Amino acid sequence: MFYREAGQYKTSYSADMAVFPIWQDRIGIAVILALAFIGVPLIGNDFFTTTVMIPFLVFSLAAIGLNILTGYTGLISLGTAAFMGVGAYACYKMTTIFPNVNIIVLILVSGLFSAAIGVLFGLPSLRIKGFYLAVATLAAQFFLQWAFVRVPWLFNYNASGAIEVPLRSVFGIPITGATASPETRYFVCLVLVVVLTWFASNIVHGRLGRSWMAVRDMDIAAELMGIKLLNAKLLAFAVSSFYCGVAGAMMIFLWYGTAEAADVFSIRLSFTVLFMIIIGGLGSLIGSFFGAAFIASLPTIMKFGLPAIGIPLSGATAEHVTFMLLGALIILFLIVEPHGLARLWQIGKQKLRTWPFPY
Amino acid sequence: MTDATLRPAPNLLANGWVKAALILAAIVAAAMVAAKLDGSGTAYKVFIDPFVQMVELPDLLVQTLWEGLVTGVLYALIALGFVLIFKASGVFNFAQGIMVVFAALTLVGLHEKGVPAFLAVILTLGVMFVLAVTIERMVLRPLVNQPDIILFMATFGITYFLIGFGESVFGGNPKQMIAEQLYLPKGAIDLNILGGRVSLQKIDIAAAVIASIMIAALALFFQYTRIGRALRAVADSHKAALSVGISLNQIWVIVWFTAGIVALITGIMWGARSDVSFALEIVALKALPVLILGGFTSIPGAIVGGLIIGIGEKLGEFYWGPLIGGGIESWLAYFIALGFLLFRPQGLFGDKIIERI
């Protein structure tokens, strides 16, 4: 009823392998992009942009990063926050050393530093598997978190012990720092996320992505089929950390403005991102967006939504209830739909396709 | 000629221990040479000076070792809870650390409400039992036959739920453990040995003793009781255990309850040494390196792992920490474990991982 794909024949291999094989999907994605680029800045106020949209975009990117590692390659990582932190601190150091370089370029380049650190901590993944690896990534988390506090060179010997985001302009428009308008920061985030998602989509649908999925499903079998485990796993760590690093740099430079040192990149953040991909859907890019949207908006809903409909909750209680809710939701999703919101989305689309006369 | 003479000489390098020892020896030799050649003295500070200090001030060394030992015992206790659950249900229970905090908070919270100390202990045990049953019903049973990784993530859910629940019921402020009401000793014993004074906290001695008793009791329970035998059977093979009529659900409740008891005792001990609050969560995470060091399936592994990590991190913090700014306790444990894992991916005492296609 709502849409049919009848008459849309796939006549070539590339049409068959397309990410959006039917034109309704393409229209849908165009509408979403148009909404994001035109609708949100027109309708949304500053509050909406800064507390909902920018966190959502940043978390989406981090979730995509973790999803590449955990969802696609099957390597559990609890060090996401640390890799995000590497991105943020690398960006800070670089913009201090090269103040005139375009900050957007620096945000992207800082991902490379994160990727390098990710590869370093990914090396044990060749020998250590499963839960053992999850614990090994905690080494990265705690070591880097320690470094962010104890190595003053990283935060330029600031008295506050944290990143203080300087004012940086591109073509005369302030992008980071106190005077940057929420719309500008939102646009920068959006462009980065859209471009990087497009890259990620191409990677995971390509040869590399398939070798990752083979490694996830059974790494010995993948090795026997000629996939080089060393390359596949380390590349997964590199790409994943790159995304996390960019997300971390965006988080500090375009969202927070100032980092409270180790507080931001603590293990809690790692868990939050992990929850996003569990709830959103492991091994699904769109799931990363769903999960990020869900979890990033949960505290805001608890804080502002519930009092609005007449349920008063103090700040602390709201936080505790959010924790309980998160925990319960994780278990619920794992029981009811281990593939997360992404699978629900697919089911919904299928239902709509056959709507009045389901078969 | 007999077969024995035909057999090729065993390749010593194939043995992980020999390889590790050789590498260690090489590192030590390299360090000695570096310390001799290095003009600035950095290598000396890193490789030689700490050992000189250890020999010159043995009382400090003993004190550090003792603190490491006690910390290690407590890590081992948390790890013990993990191992129990992992052996019996194959679930990597990330929530064990939180169960420790939760048990301690419940105990203190009940006592604050005016419940006498020992009644509070019994009530807390009741709460842990209810928790075990709830987890079995709500989490484990619906997730039977799911991949391990799903169950692992489900325990993250339990962790978060317990944090939220504990904080909303008992509040987020740090609390004082009711050590005196439980007749736990206070104060310190000062020993004059090796030309210095070594101070042993009585509570630490009590912790070590109680931990040893509990581990012995668990060992006896596993070895000689009917339930213990059933638990071992389940640990060996779920299917075989089911086929001889062992109820898995019942076993899971028992094992989670046992882990709950271990958590309560650990919680009391940790709580008596510091405050009771969810800040202990970070400490509880330290049990994870202990676990991977010892191997997930081995109770002796948990104990040995705990001691290695505890002593290793205290020694590292005391002798090498100041060189790079201190506070290295937060990550040293993970690196020690990682170092061991590179040689034995299944941990020191873990079952050998056999992978089949």
Side-chain angles (χ1 to χ4, degrees), chain A residues 25-302:
Chain A
D25 273 347
R26 276 170 248 153
I27 291 177
I29 206 77
V31 168
I32 291 170
L33 283 180
L35 262 180
F37 274 101
I38 302 160
V40 171
L42 279 184
I43 307 163
N45 51 10
D46 282 1
F47 174 79
F48 179 72
T49 321
T50 44
T51 57
V52 181
M53 288 313 290
I54 294 180
F56 161 63
L57 289 172
V58 169
F59 278 131
S60 307
L61 202 60
I64 289 176
L66 185 60
N67 224 335
I68 286 173
L69 193 62
T70 304
Y72 284 96
T73 323
L75 306 165
I76 306 180
S77 165
L78 297 175
T80 323
F83 296 133
M84 290 172 76
V86 172
Y89 281 90
C91 191
Y92 185 50
K93 282 317 284 184
M94 278 192 294
T95 192
T96 316
I97 299 169
F98 312 108
N100 295 322
V101 178
N102 189 331
I103 187 73
I104 301 173
V105 174
L106 286 186
I107 288 180
L108 285 171
V109 172
S110 57
L112 296 179
F113 284 85
S114 187
I117 301 280
V119 168
L120 200 65
F121 280 99
L123 279 173
S125 72
L126 299 167
R127 261 178 87 70
I128 308 170
K129 285 169 190 165
F131 306 132
Y132 288 92
L133 181 67
V135 179
T137 57
L138 277 178
Q141 171 67 44
F142 284 106
F143 175 69
L144 291 170
Q145 206 180 324
W146 171 87
F148 297 152
V149 180
R150 299 290 177 137
V151 184
W153 178 79
L154 284 175
F155 46 85
N156 288 350
Y157 304 94
N158 279 335
S160 61
I163 296 177
E164 286 162 5
V165 175
L167 175 66
R168 292 285 180 265
S169 307
V170 176
F171 304 125
I173 306 164
I175 293 203
T176 64
T179 49
S181 74
E183 278 84 14
T184 331
R185 290 186 281 140
Y186 170 72
F187 267 119
V188 174
C189 280
L190 186 62
V191 170
L192 282 174
V193 170
V194 168
V195 170
L196 287 175
T197 309
W198 178 63
F199 269 120
S201 165
N202 278 321
I203 294 175
V204 298
H205 288 98
R207 194 178 64 85
L208 191 54
R210 284 192 228 174
S211 67
W212 284 342
M213 286 184 254
V215 170
R216 169 191 66 192
D217 292 339
M218 179 169 266
D219 59 351
I220 293 186
E223 198 176 12
L224 290 176
M225 285 163 62
I227 291 168
K228 291 196 178 88
L229 283 189
L230 177 75
N231 298 4
K233 284 186 175 176
L234 288 189
L235 264 172
F237 263 100
V239 175
S240 158
S241 307
F242 175 83
Y243 277 83
C244 292
V246 173
M250 276 165 58
M251 188 171 186
I252 294 304
F253 278 74
L254 300 171
W255 170 18
Y256 273 64
T258 305
E260 288 115 36
D263 282 4
V264 183
F265 301 110
S266 69
I267 189 152
R268 283 274 163 91
L269 180 64
S270 297
F271 285 138
T272 311
V273 179
L274 184 64
F275 290 168
M276 283 174 191
I277 67 167
I278 297 176
I279 288 188
L282 288 166
S284 149
L285 287 182
I286 194 149
S288 313
F289 284 97
F290 285 143
F294 187 82
I295 292 194
S297 61
L298 201 58
T300 316
I301 293 173
M302 296 302 268

Side-chain angles (χ1 to χ4, degrees), chain B residues 25 29 32 48 59 80 83 88 92 98 102 112 116 120 127 134 158 167 192 196 213 227 229 251 273 294 315 318 327:
Chain B
M32 303 280 268
I48 309 292
D59 50 329
L80 195 63
V83 171
F92 187 90
I98 287 306
F102 185 74
E112 273 182 2
V127 171
T134 319
I158 299 175
E167 286 196 339
N192 287 312
I213 293 173
I227 296 175
R229 206 159 55 226
I251 289 295
R273 303 181 85 227
L315 282 181
F318 191 76

Side-chain angles (χ1 to χ4, degrees), chain A residues 76 127 129 132 135-136 138-139 142-143 146 150 218 220-221 268 271 274-275 278 320 323-324 327 334-335, chain B residues 94 138 149 153-154 156-157 161 164-165 167 281 296 324-327 331 334 338 342-343 346 355-357:
Chain A
I76 306 180
R127 261 178 87 70
K129 285 169 190 165
Y132 288 92
V135 179
L138 277 178
F142 284 106
F143 175 69
W146 171 87
R150 299 290 177 137
M218 179 169 266
I220 293 186
R268 283 274 163 91
F271 285 138
L274 184 64
F275 290 168
I278 297 176
H320 302 156
F323 263 80
M324 282 172 71
L334 288 173
I335 293 171
Chain B
F94 195 81
M138 309 288 286
I149 216 82
M153 290 182 182
F156 283 124
F161 187 83
F165 186 69
E167 286 196 339
E281 177 194 10
F296 289 145
I324 49 170
W331 51 266
Y334 298 91
L338 209 55
L342 289 179
F343 293 102
Q346 71 276 24
E355 288 184 275
R356 295 190 178 87
I357 302 280

